[in-house]
Amino acid sequence: MTYWLDVEDLFEWALVNRRPSGIQRLSFELYRALVALRPQEIAFCRHDRIRGTLRTVAWAEVEALFAGLTGKGQSTSAAPLREKALPVGQAGRVRRIASRLPADIRVPLGEAVRNQTAALRAGMRTGRGLVQAGR
């Protein structure tokens, strides 16, 4: 018997958030425990909005997404700024559009956007530091 777990919430969260909340952490730990106990019986799925169906998601994809959210397996910048990059309402539209992309495009694209944002913020902090040093 296969037990299907819907991981849509975790993927939706990762589209617009840099770190997992307690809910995402708890969900992931439950997923991990179930896979460890019954690896042949646990499978993952998420909603495919284009086709209006569910599609399978590999456990490795879930693990990689969570590792990206927690900074495990990659370097993280210290104390990221928590400002909104998009006006209110825009984030929802971007999220809806991004959710239609296949995971093999959407996940690395989201990672690239987060990395670019981090680089821009680091550049701004560097500029502020240079201005302050020149005083």
Side-chain angles (χ1 to χ4, degrees):
M1 175 179 226
T2 300
Y3 297 94
W4 289 93
L5 302 172
D6 183 349
V7 293
E8 184 69 23
D9 178 65
L10 184 60
F11 282 83
E12 287 292 321
W13 181 267
L15 286 173
V16 293
N17 296 284
R18 303 175 126 225
R19 310 289 295 161
S21 74
I23 292 170
Q24 283 73 35
R25 288 180 189 277
L26 175 63
S27 296
F28 179 78
E29 291 303 326
L30 289 171
Y31 302 151
R32 183 174 20 203
L34 289 168
V35 168
L37 287 172
R38 299 184 180 239
Q40 302 305 318
E41 297 176 35
I42 303 299
F44 299 94
C45 64
R46 61 179 301 206
H47 187 242
D48 184 329
R49 293 176 191 221
I50 294 172
R51 295 181 185 100
T53 62
L54 294 173
R55 66 177 178 83
T56 60
V57 177
W59 170 238
E61 189 177 345
V62 176
E63 283 183 307
L65 179 72
F66 194 77
L69 283 172
T70 58
K72 295 185 175 162
Q74 64 181 17
S75 62
T76 58
S77 61
L81 300 175
R82 296 304 299 163
E83 60 198 45
K84 293 277 185 193
L86 297 171
V88 176
Q90 290 289 355
R93 280 180 271 213
V94 170
R95 187 173 36 245
R96 281 191 300 278
I97 291 167
S99 72
R100 294 179 179 174
L101 295 171
D104 58 339
I105 295 170
R106 185 185 59 258
V107 171
L109 179 61
E111 189 176 307
V113 168
R114 284 190 298 274
N115 290 338
Q116 184 65 37
T117 301
L120 289 171
R121 288 178 178 162
M124 290 175 64
R125 287 192 308 269
T126 301
R128 284 193 296 266
L130 288 170
V131 167
Q132 289 176 353
R135 288 184 186 172

